[in-house]
């Protein structure tokens, strides 16, 4: 009895049982069924066609194994991780008390520099706060050039002495930009990013 690690290819993944079917490189005529997948791998790691490392606790017992890692299949370039992975980063103040006039739209870039958000990110995780010169007021936020009426709305602020605060996932355009429109009043906006979705 000996511990060994073998390379394979994911043939199927069941997120309900967290088990995979694996075709081992050394035994391409036999597929292992029901191999447990390590909890450290997220559900998007078990993509069909991904290469994997399988740890065998007993190399003579194919049922005493676990998939410990998956990685991209370099031959076909697939699979790459699908969209939807959340990465948390240190909070970065992106906007500080920026005034946006009622009905006006302002464009901001949230990626690159010290933001910790890479180019190519699909969305940013943000803390948003704003005050308004009159009531009611809210913010509409969309990827740059997107439909402001059908994306993210923050507010309604019902008092000129109050400050609205909340969190949002903000979709980004391909350049990492968002548009913010003030609705109902001039709004003074502060925005801190603390993560992104790739």
């Amino acid at each position: 009895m000996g511990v060994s690690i073998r390379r394979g290819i994911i043939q199927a993944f069941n997120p309900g049982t967290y088990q995979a079917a694996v075709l081992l490189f050394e035994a391409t005529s036999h597929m292992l069924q029901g191999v447990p997948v390590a909890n450290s791998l997220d559900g998007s790691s078990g993509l069909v066609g991904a290469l994997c490392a399988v740890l065998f606790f007993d190399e003579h017992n194919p049922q005493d194994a676990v998939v410990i890692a998956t990685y991209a299949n370099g031959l076909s370039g697939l699979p790459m991780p699908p969209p939807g992975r959340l990465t948390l980063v240190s909070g970065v103040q992106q906007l500080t008390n920026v005034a946006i006039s009622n009905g006006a739209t302002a464009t901001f870039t949230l990626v690159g520099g010290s933001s910790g958000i890479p180019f190519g990110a699909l969305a940013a995780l943000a803390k948003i706060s704003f005050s308004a010169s009159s009531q009611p007021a809210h913010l509409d936020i969309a990827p740059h050039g997107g439909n402001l009426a059908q994306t993210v709305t923050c507010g309604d602020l019902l008092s000129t002495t109050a400050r609205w605060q909340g969190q949002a996932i903000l979709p980004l355009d391909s350049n990492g930009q968002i548009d913010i429109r003030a609705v109902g009043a001039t709004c003074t906006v502060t925005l801190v990013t603390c993560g992104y979705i790739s």
Side-chain angles (χ1 to χ4, degrees):
M1 178 167 92
V3 173
S4 65
I5 297 177
R6 302 277 187 244
R7 292 185 309 150
I9 301 174
I10 300 287
Q11 301 296 297
F13 174 72
N14 183 333
T17 62
Y18 236 67
Q19 294 180 338
V22 177
L23 183 65
L24 296 177
F25 282 1
E26 295 84 4
T28 56
S29 61
H30 181 70
M31 184 167 45
L32 298 177
Q33 300 284 345
V35 180
V37 176
N39 292 340
S40 57
L41 301 175
D42 66 15
S44 64
S45 299
L47 298 172
V48 173
L51 298 180
C52 66
V54 182
L55 171 65
F56 289 90
F57 297 102
D58 177 356
E59 61 185 9
H60 301 293
N61 180 0
Q63 297 307 311
D64 192 12
V66 63
V67 175
I68 58 173
T70 62
Y71 51 100
N73 185 339
L75 298 176
S76 65
L78 295 173
M80 296 303 290
R85 290 177 183 250
L86 174 64
T87 301
L88 300 177
V89 296
S90 297
V92 172
Q93 188 95 24
Q94 298 268 8
L95 307 176
T96 304
N97 294 325
V98 174
I100 303 172
S101 298
N102 181 24
T105 299
T107 302
F108 303 97
T109 301
L110 301 184
V111 302
S114 63
S115 71
I117 302 175
F119 287 93
L122 301 175
L125 180 61
K127 175 182 178 182
I128 303 164
S129 64
F130 75 95
S131 60
S133 61
S134 63
Q135 59 187 18
H138 68 268
L139 302 175
D140 289 331
I141 306 173
H144 177 58
N147 187 337
L148 284 160
Q150 295 181 351
T151 308
V152 175
T153 297
C154 300
D156 274 334
L157 191 61
L158 300 176
S159 168
T160 57
T161 61
R163 187 164 189 90
W164 185 92
Q165 295 188 70
Q167 293 79 35
I169 296 174
L170 305 177
L172 303 171
D173 77 349
S174 60
N175 294 316
Q177 295 182 313
I178 60 169
D179 289 339
I180 302 177
R181 177 175 62 194
V183 180
T186 294
C187 295
T188 303
V189 182
T190 296
L191 187 146
V192 175
T193 53
C194 56
Y196 63 91
I197 296 174
S198 58

